[in-house]
Amino acid sequence: MSVAKRQQTATSGNYDPANASLPTFHDAVPGFQDGSDNPRSYLERCLEVIDAREPEVQAWVTINRDGARAAADAATDRFKAGRALSPIDGMPIGIKDLFMTKDMPTEMGSPLFKGNQTHADSALVYGLRLAGAVVLGKTVTTELGFSHPGPTRNPFDTNRTPGGSSSGSAAAIGAGMVPATIGSQVVGSVIRPASFCGNIAIKPTLGALNRGERAGGLSQSHVGVHAGSLKDMWAVAYQIAAKAGGDAGYPGLYGEEAPAEPRKPSHLVLLKTEGWDMLDGTTRAAFEQVLEQLRKQDVKVLTRADSPTIDACEAAIDDSLKLARDICCWELRWTLRNLAEKDESQMSESLKQRLALAEEMTLEDYRAALDRRERMRARFRALAPFADGCISLSSAGIAPPFDGSGSVGEPGITHQTGLPAFNAATSALGVPCVTLPLMGVNGMPVGVQLIGQAHRDQELTGTAAWMQENVKPVSL
């Protein structure tokens, strides 16, 4: 799609998943190999879209054009010499501004870190550079990756939020700026904004991708990948794991370098979560059409009514929003105390709410939350014999208004970037999720979420590939 055409359609709120166009990289590589194209030209095409869309979308904190051009030129030389480093050699990538970059500030969406220069790369960024990726810039995140929004707007309706906390990462894909970006998720920060912005994205198994150094040291923090295609998504995730491994104490991402072949599921569990009762009628009707297409192709969709084991899992993951809130508040309290002592006036009310909640907790409260999380995980593992995976929605409807008038809350916290009601459970479970942009609701994207058992990430992407080929996108 041309820059002008994308600019015209992306701001009008008339999203159609059947005709949506997302940027891809893998299909440009043959041109790099035969000399008809090159990574520098590809980068310049990305910059052209950024120049056209960035004034309204505001997805980027910093763009390192000179550094990116130098990296793209080096990749071009490698392709000419027949020595490409990896399938992502020359790929322009945006990095969520929670992760350190040696050549750009790491400001974490907070005025308290304005101009913060680390002069070092986080492990995942270092791994991407080793694979030849072009680290183009830093994408906007919410304050410390939590609830208070940055300036980024939804690329399909700039009156709406892109979601959070991977706001800029999701919006940059939806706006067609780059083929892949890095996000992260503690509660719903990859899958929900991907849903709002029409991305393909993965939140891998907990610890599968090395997050390196980041504020908080949160036990549910996952590195995720936003992309315009499953092939690019998997290629980026695989290269991070191959070059940087997983988090300390974790075995990293399992799977082969080649993308998974499409794999039809025989059974899927419909995991409703606490988000189901929050759905509007149109979103639910669109999702029911997706499920009906699966049933017509002999995919059995099981619900809690079909098995006491599924029912027990649903019961165990209910109220996951509060569970995730409590775990995160306790783990973040030292960071928040230090920031408050530095300058509390530079903290949002949302962050102050989290600090207040943390101060009310005891060690026994935290231990109880961890115990409940472990019981949830056991209940989810018990689903493995029943199905090839689970299916759910990626968000509780379309993106709410940017001005906060659609803000929703959980006990003690207000979310201006959308409520992660379909995401909190899977983050607590630490299992892999993939979202596909299969639905258009009232002219805006809503994703369908596939959920797998831990360490079966590549199998899940095979199911996602089959879904893309065999499920017709739904617009209502």
Side-chain angles (χ1 to χ4, degrees):
M1 180 183 289
S2 71
V3 174
K5 179 67 172 176
R6 183 180 294 281
Q7 190 172 15
Q8 176 185 359
T9 60
T11 58
S12 56
N14 60 354
Y15 175 83
D16 179 358
N19 297 314
S21 175
L22 290 173
T24 57
F25 182 80
H26 65 276
D27 49 359
V29 171
F32 303 165
Q33 294 168 333
D34 67 20
S36 61
D37 195 5
N38 62 70
R40 174 61 185 270
S41 296
Y42 187 96
L43 170 65
E44 295 301 330
R45 295 196 293 272
C46 290
L47 290 172
E48 178 189 359
V49 179
I50 290 171
D51 289 341
R53 297 298 324 274
E54 178 62 8
E56 59 179 357
V57 176
Q58 300 180 62
W60 301 86
V61 182
T62 305
I63 297 176
N64 184 1
R65 293 173 185 261
D66 290 343
R69 284 173 169 143
D73 287 342
T76 296
D77 290 343
R78 288 191 292 271
F79 273 100
K80 286 180 179 177
R83 296 197 303 267
L85 296 175
S86 79
I88 65 169
D89 197 353
M91 178 190 284
I93 295 180
I95 307 296
K96 184 177 181 178
D97 197 26
L98 290 179
F99 298 105
M100 299 192 308
T101 44
K102 63 184 179 183
D103 50 357
M104 290 172 276
T106 302
E107 299 180 337
M108 296 185 282
S110 168
L112 289 165
F113 291 93
K114 187 69 176 176
N116 174 47
Q117 294 280 0
T118 64
H119 304 291
D121 284 336
S122 284
L124 71 94
V125 177
Y126 205 105
L128 288 170
R129 293 191 202 272
L130 288 175
V134 175
V135 178
L136 176 56
K138 306 298 284 290
T139 55
V140 172
T141 182
T142 60
E143 182 189 30
L144 298 189
F146 283 92
S147 301
H148 187 68
T152 309
R153 306 298 184 103
N154 192 294
F156 296 102
D157 182 349
T158 53
N159 294 314
R160 295 183 179 274
T161 178
S165 62
S166 303
S167 310
S169 293
I173 299 297
M177 296 176 175
V178 285
T181 55
I182 301 301
S184 61
Q185 178 163 318
V186 178
V187 184
S189 298
V190 170
I191 299 298
R192 184 177 80 263
S195 176
F196 288 167
C197 295
N199 298 181
I200 294 168
I202 186 170
K203 177 195 76 69
T205 297
L206 181 65
L209 303 183
N210 194 327
R211 56 188 158 161
E213 306 74 14
R214 63 154 293 176
L218 299 161
S219 67
Q220 290 182 187
S221 181
H222 304 65
V223 173
V225 181
H226 297 258
S229 70
L230 284 167
K231 286 184 178 180
D232 290 344
M233 179 196 78
W234 182 255
V236 171
Y238 181 89
Q239 291 302 320
I240 292 172
K243 302 296 191 295
D247 283 342
Y250 289 84
L253 184 74
Y254 286 96
E256 304 300 322
E257 183 176 53
E261 293 297 322
R263 176 176 176 267
K264 180 182 177 180
S266 62
H267 294 74
L268 290 172
V269 171
L270 171 57
L271 207 61
K272 290 186 174 180
T273 79
E274 61 196 298
W276 192 256
D277 292 337
M278 303 174 189
L279 288 178
D280 63 276
T282 307
T283 300
R284 184 177 293 188
F287 186 51
E288 291 288 358
Q289 288 192 22
V290 170
L291 296 178
E292 186 58 26
Q293 289 187 62
L294 293 173
R295 295 185 184 104
K296 287 181 177 179
Q297 297 181 73
D298 297 322
V299 178
K300 292 183 171 55
V301 179
L302 306 174
T303 70
R304 64 190 310 169
D306 295 309
S307 165
T309 304
I310 299 173
D311 183 65
C313 181
E314 287 275 23
I317 66 174
D318 193 37
D319 207 22
S320 292
L321 280 167
K322 183 179 182 301
L323 176 71
R325 182 207 72 183
D326 289 346
I327 289 173
C328 291
C329 283
W330 179 261
E331 293 172 348
L332 195 66
R333 72 198 187 287
W334 304 113
T335 296
L336 298 185
R337 284 175 180 172
N338 280 307
L339 292 180
E341 287 183 7
K342 184 177 180 180
D343 189 350
E344 189 175 19
S345 70
Q346 296 296 305
M347 296 170 63
S348 69
E349 288 304 312
S350 173
L351 217 55
K352 293 175 186 176
Q353 288 173 354
R354 291 182 186 275
L355 177 56
L357 287 167
E359 301 290 18
E360 293 174 0
M361 290 182 66
T362 66
L363 180 57
E364 288 71 26
D365 294 331
Y366 180 61
R367 287 170 175 166
L370 293 181
D371 180 65
R372 184 180 170 209
R373 189 170 70 180
E374 286 306 308
R375 287 184 276 115
M376 286 171 54
R377 291 174 176 179
R379 290 293 189 185
F380 185 81
R381 287 193 295 270
L383 298 183
F386 286 80
D388 301 292
C390 301
I391 189 168
S392 190
L393 283 158
S394 302
S395 61
I398 67 173
F402 181 83
D403 62 11
S405 60
S407 296
V408 287
E410 59 185 88
I413 301 291
T414 298
H415 290 270
Q416 290 182 255
T417 58
L419 190 64
F422 281 100
N423 317 116
T426 55
S427 293
L429 292 167
V431 295
C433 308
V434 172
T435 180
L436 297 174
L438 290 177
M439 293 166 45
V441 176
N442 297 325
M444 291 295 293
V446 176
V448 172
Q449 183 176 196
L450 295 171
I451 306 160
Q453 293 289 334
H455 303 300
R456 296 185 182 176
D457 304 62
Q458 189 164 35
E459 291 178 33
L460 188 67
T461 65
T463 302
W466 182 87
M467 289 271 291
Q468 271 201 314
E469 290 184 358
N470 293 279
V471 174
K472 181 180 178 181
V474 175
S475 290
L476 290 180

